[in-house]
Every structure is written in structure tokens, then in C-alpha cells.
Amino acid sequence: MTAAQAPNPDFAQLIPSVVLSMPAAAHLGFHFSRVEPGDVEIVQPHRRELTQHDGYFQGGVLGSLADFAAGSAAGTLLPAGWVNMTIDYTVKILAPAKGPDVVARGRVLKPGALLTIAAADVFSVDDSGETLCATALVTMRNVRLAAS
């Protein structure tokens, strides 16, 4: 995708604030390391309660991180007063994720008024570099918030 234009000038502050206020995001404990129009990166530190055998991140955690990263990327392109919600996603796990951090990079593939199609790649990060662990395709439904 070419460089996108964010219709909401406050997107870089709004997206982390809204996403990190969600109980599921707070439970995971990730943080945003990049928020740009149509493109975000989140970093998930290793935590024992997110793992399975021998310290590997559990697959559902990888799927959640991909969903949050893709959805956040899609959210950067929404006008003020709009939010998005996942209506479908497919995750393919390609390698085990183990290390001090997992990084999920979300990007918008096709923005739209009603639906936005996004993708995310999830990497295990350690001293030797990055390993692609999962990739996802995510469909987001864009919803205008009701005036209060």
C-alpha cells in the first residue's frame, strides 16, 4: 500500500489510548512502538502466563497480537468519531515464538468506508534477530459512534 493519509489528526495518540484501555489488551501487556497512518507495531514482552510448553508463546496469544496490530493499523485511517471491530480473521502460525519479545506489525491492505482489510506479521525477537512466527489477514467493520 502507498502512504496513507490519516483523516483524524489525533490518530497517533488516540489509537494507543483506545486500544490499551481494552481489558484484553491490558491483560496481554503489550505496548505500541510505532503508530503511523495505516501501519503500526506492537511489542509483547515475554510473560509466563502467556506461554505453553517450555516458554513458547501460546498460539492464541499470537493470534490476538495479530488482531490488535491489524485492527490498530486500520483504526489509524478512520475519521474522528469512528471505531472498528474485527469481523473475521485468519491466522497461520509458521514457527514457534520464543524469546524476550514478540513483535506484531499491522498494515492496511485496503481501506474502505464500511470494511477495512488489514494484515499483520508476528515475529519472535531474540539476540539472533527476528523469526516470522505468524501471519494474519483481518477484516474490520468500521462503525460510527453514536453522538452522546
Side-chain angles (χ1 to χ4, degrees), residues 6-10 14 75 77-83 143-145:
N8 184 345
D10 298 325
L14 183 65
L77 300 183
L78 294 176
W82 285 72
V83 296
V143 179
R144 183 181 197 131
L145 295 174

Tab-separated table of all heavy atoms in Angstrom, residues 6-10 14 75 77-83 143-145:
chain	number	residue	atom	x	y	z
A	6	ALA	N	-4.077	9.992	7.167
A	6	ALA	CA	-4.976	9.790	8.297
A	6	ALA	C	-5.971	10.944	8.376
A	6	ALA	O	-5.564	12.088	8.479
A	6	ALA	CB	-4.180	9.696	9.592
A	7	PRO	N	-7.284	10.647	8.320
A	7	PRO	CA	-8.276	11.719	8.388
A	7	PRO	C	-8.415	12.337	9.776
A	7	PRO	O	-8.920	13.441	9.907
A	7	PRO	CB	-9.576	11.045	7.953
A	7	PRO	CG	-9.366	9.605	8.181
A	7	PRO	CD	-7.891	9.355	8.072
A	8	ASN	N	-7.985	11.625	10.808
A	8	ASN	CA	-8.054	12.147	12.172
A	8	ASN	C	-6.645	12.567	12.592
A	8	ASN	O	-5.774	11.716	12.760
A	8	ASN	CB	-8.596	11.080	13.119
A	8	ASN	CG	-8.772	11.586	14.537
A	8	ASN	OD1	-8.248	12.635	14.913
A	8	ASN	ND2	-9.495	10.827	15.335
A	9	PRO	N	-6.400	13.858	12.787
A	9	PRO	CA	-5.052	14.307	13.125
A	9	PRO	C	-4.552	13.796	14.476
A	9	PRO	O	-3.352	13.808	14.734
A	9	PRO	CB	-5.167	15.836	13.119
A	9	PRO	CG	-6.615	16.116	13.313
A	9	PRO	CD	-7.354	14.960	12.710
A	10	ASP	N	-5.444	13.290	15.315
A	10	ASP	CA	-5.067	12.800	16.641
A	10	ASP	C	-4.847	11.292	16.679
A	10	ASP	O	-4.745	10.707	17.756
A	10	ASP	CB	-6.142	13.187	17.669
A	10	ASP	CG	-6.304	14.683	17.803
A	10	ASP	OD1	-5.283	15.404	17.699
A	10	ASP	OD2	-7.451	15.138	17.994
A	14	LEU	N	-4.627	8.682	19.847
A	14	LEU	CA	-5.918	8.045	20.063
A	14	LEU	C	-5.837	6.520	20.005
A	14	LEU	O	-6.375	5.836	20.885
A	14	LEU	CB	-6.929	8.546	19.025
A	14	LEU	CG	-8.343	8.021	19.164
A	14	LEU	CD1	-8.963	8.514	20.457
A	14	LEU	CD2	-9.177	8.422	17.967
A	75	GLY	N	-7.478	1.291	12.324
A	75	GLY	CA	-8.024	2.406	13.092
A	75	GLY	C	-7.349	3.729	12.820
A	75	GLY	O	-7.964	4.790	12.956
A	77	LEU	N	-6.722	5.000	10.119
A	77	LEU	CA	-7.273	5.622	8.912
A	77	LEU	C	-8.742	6.012	9.051
A	77	LEU	O	-9.373	6.431	8.075
A	77	LEU	CB	-7.096	4.690	7.714
A	77	LEU	CG	-5.646	4.320	7.388
A	77	LEU	CD1	-5.589	3.446	6.142
A	77	LEU	CD2	-4.776	5.557	7.233
A	78	LEU	N	-9.282	5.903	10.263
A	78	LEU	CA	-10.684	6.255	10.477
A	78	LEU	C	-10.838	7.733	10.816
A	78	LEU	O	-9.985	8.319	11.490
A	78	LEU	CB	-11.268	5.421	11.621
A	78	LEU	CG	-11.376	3.928	11.376
A	78	LEU	CD1	-11.876	3.231	12.630
A	78	LEU	CD2	-12.299	3.645	10.201
A	79	PRO	N	-11.952	8.323	10.406
A	79	PRO	CA	-12.228	9.706	10.803
A	79	PRO	C	-12.527	9.773	12.306
A	79	PRO	O	-12.862	8.759	12.932
A	79	PRO	CB	-13.485	10.066	10.000
A	79	PRO	CG	-13.695	8.975	9.010
A	79	PRO	CD	-12.956	7.780	9.496
A	80	ALA	N	-12.450	10.949	12.866
A	80	ALA	CA	-12.826	11.160	14.270
A	80	ALA	C	-14.270	10.691	14.460
A	80	ALA	O	-15.118	10.879	13.593
A	80	ALA	CB	-12.673	12.627	14.633
A	81	GLY	N	-14.525	10.043	15.587
A	81	GLY	CA	-15.869	9.568	15.881
A	81	GLY	C	-16.185	8.188	15.337
A	81	GLY	O	-17.323	7.732	15.429
A	82	TRP	N	-15.183	7.517	14.776
A	82	TRP	CA	-15.368	6.167	14.255
A	82	TRP	C	-14.464	5.199	14.999
A	82	TRP	O	-13.393	5.575	15.464
A	82	TRP	CB	-15.019	6.119	12.764
A	82	TRP	CG	-16.061	6.743	11.881
A	82	TRP	CD1	-16.332	8.073	11.760
A	82	TRP	CD2	-16.950	6.075	10.993
A	82	TRP	NE1	-17.339	8.271	10.861
A	82	TRP	CE2	-17.730	7.052	10.358
A	82	TRP	CE3	-17.147	4.739	10.674
A	82	TRP	CZ2	-18.709	6.734	9.426
A	82	TRP	CZ3	-18.117	4.422	9.733
A	82	TRP	CH2	-18.895	5.424	9.124
A	83	VAL	N	-14.897	3.940	15.093
A	83	VAL	CA	-14.096	2.846	15.645
A	83	VAL	C	-14.206	1.672	14.679
A	83	VAL	O	-15.007	1.705	13.743
A	83	VAL	CB	-14.569	2.426	17.060
A	83	VAL	CG1	-14.368	3.567	18.053
A	83	VAL	CG2	-16.007	1.956	17.043
A	143	VAL	N	-17.329	1.501	12.271
A	143	VAL	CA	-18.604	1.856	12.908
A	143	VAL	C	-18.523	3.296	13.400
A	143	VAL	O	-17.589	3.655	14.137
A	143	VAL	CB	-18.893	0.930	14.100
A	143	VAL	CG1	-20.198	1.302	14.784
A	143	VAL	CG2	-18.904	-0.523	13.668
A	144	ARG	N	-19.524	4.087	13.025
A	144	ARG	CA	-19.600	5.463	13.526
A	144	ARG	C	-20.207	5.419	14.927
A	144	ARG	O	-21.251	4.790	15.143
A	144	ARG	CB	-20.457	6.312	12.602
A	144	ARG	CG	-20.497	7.742	13.032
A	144	ARG	CD	-21.364	8.567	12.114
A	144	ARG	NE	-21.027	9.943	12.359
A	144	ARG	CZ	-20.761	10.829	11.441
A	144	ARG	NH1	-20.801	10.496	10.174
A	144	ARG	NH2	-20.467	12.055	11.768
A	145	LEU	N	-19.549	6.064	15.879
A	145	LEU	CA	-20.063	6.113	17.244
A	145	LEU	C	-21.293	7.007	17.295
A	145	LEU	O	-21.344	8.054	16.631
A	145	LEU	CB	-19.010	6.646	18.198
A	145	LEU	CG	-17.762	5.772	18.371
A	145	LEU	CD1	-16.742	6.495	19.221
A	145	LEU	CD2	-18.144	4.448	19.004
